[in-house]
Amino acid sequence: MRADSSHKAPAAPPLRADARHNRTRILAAAREVFADRGLDAPMAAIARRAGVGVATLYRRFPTREALITEVFTDQLVGCVSVVDEALADPDPWRGFRTAVETVCRMQIADRGFTGAFLTAFPGAVDFERVRGDAERGLGELIRRAQATGKLRPEFTTTDLVLLVMANSGVAAELAGQPTAVVAAASGRLVASMLAAWQTAPLDPLPPAPPLTLHHISAYPGPEKPRPRPAGGYPQWPALPPV
């Protein structure tokens, strides 16, 4: 499977080096600002975060929707590339493990942007087609890892869905904590699940994050709903069984 960019706008002329640099900075800044402040965040705030003028931002992205769509498309192509690179790895277990780790890191960094985008602009990109390609690639990745004997034979894509749901819970429960703590907690969870899915010998777990029981003692419970994260909760698709 290869990342297919047919869901993007027709190819534009190649950008100059400085224009490519500005585009990269704007997209990175927009991803952060939209995650922090939602899709209605001021364009001027994005320009400031990127270190460019507002005129430069609008010259490249004339509307808010154009910028939001490009941020999502860039992120979507990155997700597909993760599976492509994993399939190209000559070690199927390493490719599978790396793909799972990378996708979960991207999920933590996403912070609800994907769900907010798909709600606000449901027809902006052919998300279902790209998701279908990714699901088929994941299925092949799982089959290859199982053929090595390192991934448990009873593993299915349902287990990946459960991990993604749990990882989303880590992000929600630790909202407001330092980024390094959230990343460490997610990494520990992912490594623990990979160890549970793996046959011997097991890969070592990363260091535990500095969390104690007081981090869950303030859980609001069903009668006191948790505040909604900026941009809304991520909507993670179910995957078909292998």
Side-chain angles (χ1 to χ4, degrees), residues 142-191:
I142 290 168
R143 286 187 286 273
R144 291 184 186 183
Q146 288 173 328
T148 68
K150 293 183 178 180
L151 179 62
R152 295 173 64 143
E154 65 270 31
F155 178 89
T156 73
T157 48
T158 297
D159 297 301
L160 277 180
V161 173
L162 291 172
L163 172 58
V164 168
M165 293 170 67
N167 200 44
S168 179
V170 167
E173 187 70 27
L174 296 180
Q177 294 291 324
T179 301
V181 172
V182 181
S186 171
R188 180 84 172 188
L189 168 67
V190 172

